[in-house]
Amino acid sequence: CSSDLVDRIKVSQDDPRQPREPQEEDIIYNDLMWSDPFEGAGIRGSERGGSARQFGADITEEFLAKNDLSFMIRSHEVKDEGYEWMHNKKCLTVFSAPGYCDSCRNRGAVVRLHAEEDEGRLRPEIRPFDTAEKPQDYVYAMSYASSTYQLWNEALRKAGIN
């Protein structure tokens, strides 16, 4: 994951239902989706494992400078309060799913951007919120997870992958 990733992204015209060999843009999309900030410098493997990466404040600074931005907003990482600023308030993580998968006690948040007339820059307004009351007939998010995992593992085994 580096700041030139965004410059290299290409939209694929391939049929997504057809199997194909992994392409460089697959790695780029994975990096953009799953890379998380950390308080440090450079790039390192993520605590999430797999091919995910973490990026430091220097990478954020480089990305923002190259793209003439004052801050960036990202997601795909649970935050207790629904959001978290990092890298000197230049990297904002927003997570809009409160009570994620019915197993976390996190709040959710959304961001509303305001255009400042005198500066020409956007100012974020963060709006945290809690989970809504569940109706009586609510089906919990992970109710079917164990059977789904079993089916998936069986399919992988039959395909000779697992």
Side-chain angles (χ1 to χ4, degrees):
C1 175
S2 69
S3 60
D4 67 338
L5 291 177
V6 175
D7 295 337
R8 299 184 328 190
I9 293 175
K10 297 177 276 187
V11 176
S12 174
Q13 300 300 316
D14 297 339
D15 183 345
R17 296 168 293 187
Q18 297 300 315
R20 64 178 175 80
E21 292 297 313
Q23 304 293 313
E24 181 183 8
E25 59 264 23
D26 297 331
I27 296 166
I28 293 168
Y29 285 125
N30 184 70
D31 285 350
L32 286 172
M33 179 72 72
W34 295 111
S35 293
D36 299 325
F38 77 100
E39 292 298 343
I43 298 168
R44 69 181 190 188
S46 174
E47 296 167 357
R48 292 184 197 227
S51 62
R53 302 281 177 257
Q54 290 184 300
F55 58 93
D58 58 328
I59 302 300
T60 296
E61 289 289 344
E62 180 185 343
F63 175 80
L64 296 175
K66 183 174 183 177
N67 292 284
D68 192 30
L69 299 170
S70 55
F71 65 93
M72 67 180 189
I73 301 172
R74 59 173 297 278
S75 189
H76 278 271
E77 186 179 12
V78 177
K79 295 297 173 185
D80 289 341
E81 294 302 315
Y83 71 96
E84 181 180 60
W85 281 106
M86 291 185 73
H87 303 163
N88 294 318
K89 291 192 90 172
K90 293 187 177 181
C91 179
L92 174 61
T93 298
V94 179
F95 195 77
S96 62
Y100 182 60
C101 288
D102 297 316
S103 62
C104 297
R105 295 176 187 250
N106 66 293
R107 297 181 80 195
V110 294
V111 176
R112 182 177 178 189
L113 297 173
H114 299 275
E116 301 292 338
E117 291 182 30
D118 54 336
E119 297 179 27
R121 294 284 184 175
L122 296 175
R123 180 181 53 83
E125 173 192 356
I126 303 167
R127 296 181 169 189
F129 55 91
D130 294 310
T131 57
E133 188 175 321
K134 308 258 189 291
Q136 246 181 348
D137 58 350
Y138 178 75
V139 177
Y140 285 89
M142 301 306 286
S143 295
Y144 302 104
S146 62
S147 60
T148 302
Y149 292 137
Q150 290 170 350
L151 291 172
W152 179 248
N153 286 331
E154 179 66 17
L156 290 174
R157 188 188 63 70
K158 284 182 179 178
I161 297 172
N162 198 4

